[in-house]
Amino acid sequence: MSVLSNNHYLFTSESVGEGHPDKLCDQVSDAVLDYCLSLDPEAHVACETFSSTDFLLVGGEIGFSRDVDLKEFNRNVEKIARGVALDIGYNSADVGLDGANCLFMNRLHAQSADINQGVVGKGLDEYEGQQGAGDQGMMFGFACNETPALMPAPVYYSHQILLRAHELRHSGKIAWLRPDAKSQVTIEYDGNKPVRIDTVVLSHQHNPDVDYDTIKKTLIEEVIKPVLEPTGLLDDKVKYFINPTGKFVIGGPDGDSGLTGRKIIVDTYGGMGRHGGGAFSGKDPSKVDRSAAYMARYIAKNIVAADLADRAEVELAYAIGVPFPVSIMVQTFGTEKVPCEKIEAAVKEVFDCTPAGIIKTLNLKQPIYRKTASYGHFGREGFPWEKTDKIEALKKAVKA
């Protein structure tokens, strides 16, 4: 954060496109997770993917509660991984990866029985029969009233820029775009209020036969401005950095290796709001790294949507095998409209934050995860943790 004057400061967040090597890996891991949940909603999955030049590796641990044909399963895992790469646009070594013909390796194995017994309620006698958390740790959720999605403006608009580029690339309207891309938006704040966009960075992989002036003009006029002009935050002083190295032909796994779980700040709130450190992709909802982070966002968004605060951060913490949170914290940064302790008490009354309660509330045993793995897990409609259906319940609990 860069401090200016009179309570003005600059805050920057980034996004990466679906073709970024780390995002390729996140999507493969979540596509494998979806396949496992389609076979067995009770499956326990921790799937990791690695990519590099001409190579995809899938590994990790999987446990099924029913019989699965493992030979067919492994064949389908390879088809899924290759299919994700091809869907993104990695169909040739020239663009960074040939999904159909690259080397592929599968190193998935059975889940640890020691971990599993605590998750399924067969651990310590005092928790017998109750679903425990799949790991220890703390998870954070955040919401603020800066954007219609109740997300911080810098990360939200960074995602929107790349979503626009995604649409134009897949539709063929900008035929020279390739899959790999990164964006970054710097916003000037007055206190908690965004007042102007200061800087926009967009680096997008492209074909070798397009000149730099065309790239710069097209990305500014066709990608950035249609997203940012409606915000009212764009002025004639904004600084644009478009492909600032001058050339971005080599990209994807050929330009940089990729790994599941390396874009945790892109996946969440762009650095505005804390992070517990756990990645999401490839993990089934018994892993509170993922499910409790979704629940914390759900709670925080409903607090802000209920106008109980302009900004809200929720922390949930767990111990492995224990069927309830060890702590729940609500922080409103001085923006609360009612005492914060009343909001926290209302949260504990309205929301079931046990691992089993989270999964039930958000209906998380569905194969919905691949579409979460690019352009942010939060701030996009269609996911159950983005609903604001607890507004009235929270208001009622606060008044009581």
Side-chain angles (χ1 to χ4, degrees):
M1 182 174 73
S2 177
V3 178
L4 301 176
S5 61
N6 299 323
N7 207 32
H8 281 238
Y9 58 91
L10 301 177
F11 194 94
T12 302
S13 296
E14 72 161 346
S15 178
V16 299
E18 63 170 352
H20 186 283
D22 293 333
K23 280 289 130 197
L24 162 65
C25 292
D26 285 343
Q27 289 170 88
V28 170
S29 293
D30 272 338
V32 172
L33 168 62
D34 283 347
Y35 174 50
C36 292
L37 292 175
S38 72
L39 296 175
D40 177 10
E42 304 301 323
H44 290 160
V45 182
C47 177
E48 310 286 345
T49 303
F50 170 76
S51 66
S52 188
T53 301
D54 194 37
F55 183 61
L56 275 174
L57 166 68
V58 174
E61 54 180 32
I62 295 178
F64 291 108
S65 67
R66 59 183 66 171
D67 290 336
V68 170
D69 183 330
L70 293 181
K71 287 185 177 180
E72 181 182 6
F73 173 79
N74 286 324
R75 284 195 299 269
N76 286 334
V77 165
E78 179 171 353
K79 290 179 183 177
I80 287 165
R82 293 186 183 278
V84 169
L86 292 170
D87 288 347
I88 292 169
Y90 285 124
N91 53 18
S92 165
D94 291 339
V95 300
L97 185 74
D98 182 352
N101 298 299
C102 67
L103 298 173
F104 177 81
M105 188 176 293
N106 181 344
R107 286 296 180 267
L108 293 167
H109 60 84
Q111 184 188 44
S112 162
D114 292 350
I115 295 174
N116 185 64
Q117 71 176 13
V119 174
V120 299
K122 296 181 180 179
L124 297 177
D125 290 344
E126 60 187 301
Y127 305 133
E128 180 73 27
Q130 302 178 72
Q131 179 173 345
D135 203 351
Q136 70 174 46
M138 65 285 189
M139 299 82 210
F140 290 92
F142 185 83
C144 58
N145 59 8
E146 296 176 14
T147 61
L150 303 186
M151 285 287 287
V155 72
Y156 179 75
Y157 294 126
S158 294
H159 288 321
Q160 293 300 308
I161 287 169
L162 291 185
L163 277 166
R164 170 79 176 167
H166 166 101
E167 293 165 2
L168 294 173
R169 179 172 67 88
H170 280 280
S171 69
K173 290 182 178 179
I174 305 181
W176 43 262
L177 290 177
R178 289 181 170 184
D180 202 352
K182 301 180 78 171
S183 67
Q184 187 171 281
V185 175
T186 300
I187 290 184
E188 180 180 338
Y189 281 81
D190 180 2
N192 289 329
K193 182 181 178 182
V195 293
R196 61 177 296 272
I197 294 169
D198 182 84
T199 307
V200 181
V201 181
L202 178 55
S203 297
H204 209 301
Q205 188 186 13
H206 58 85
N207 289 347
D209 56 355
V210 58
D211 65 90
Y212 178 76
D213 288 342
T214 298
I215 293 168
K216 183 174 182 179
K217 181 179 179 180
T218 303
L219 292 182
I220 291 174
E221 298 299 328
E222 301 297 327
V223 177
I224 296 171
K225 285 187 176 180
V227 170
L228 297 184
E229 282 182 337
T231 69
L233 299 174
L234 205 59
D235 59 27
D236 57 6
K237 296 180 181 178
V238 63
K239 297 181 284 291
Y240 295 106
F241 294 94
I242 308 300
N243 283 12
T245 68
K247 185 179 180 182
F248 189 4
V249 173
I250 299 171
D254 194 35
D256 191 9
S257 62
L259 190 66
T260 300
R262 286 204 299 202
K263 288 292 177 282
I264 60 175
I265 301 303
V266 170
D267 286 344
T268 53
Y269 309 102
M272 190 176 290
R274 286 170 282 196
H275 198 295
F280 300 155
S281 289
K283 297 177 181 178
D284 76 88
S286 73
K287 277 75 172 174
V288 285
D289 273 352
R290 182 170 216 160
S291 56
Y294 290 170
M295 189 64 162
R297 163 64 177 173
Y298 180 52
I299 295 169
K301 187 173 184 181
N302 275 271
I303 290 171
V304 175
D307 199 31
L308 300 179
D310 294 336
R311 300 164 75 84
E313 183 179 75
V314 175
E315 183 195 36
L316 304 175
Y318 296 84
I320 189 168
V322 177
F324 49 82
V326 299
S327 71
I328 299 174
M329 181 276 292
V330 176
Q331 168 68 266
T332 52
F333 308 97
T335 69
E336 65 275 7
K337 313 297 177 64
V338 298
C340 196
E341 58 268 22
K342 286 194 173 185
I343 299 174
E344 190 169 294
V347 165
K348 293 175 180 177
E349 177 183 333
V350 171
F351 297 94
D352 183 352
C353 293
T354 64
I358 292 171
I359 290 171
K360 181 179 179 180
T361 298
L362 299 179
N363 195 15
L364 295 179
K365 292 183 180 180
Q366 308 174 75
I368 59 171
Y369 295 102
R370 180 184 167 185
K371 61 185 178 181
T372 69
S374 50
Y375 309 112
H377 291 245
F378 308 123
R380 293 187 292 141
E381 294 303 318
F383 301 129
W385 49 89
E386 291 297 315
K387 293 180 180 179
T388 52
D389 55 354
K390 298 297 184 182
I391 292 174
E392 296 306 318
L394 277 172
K395 288 181 175 179
K396 182 178 179 180
V398 166
K399 288 180 180 178

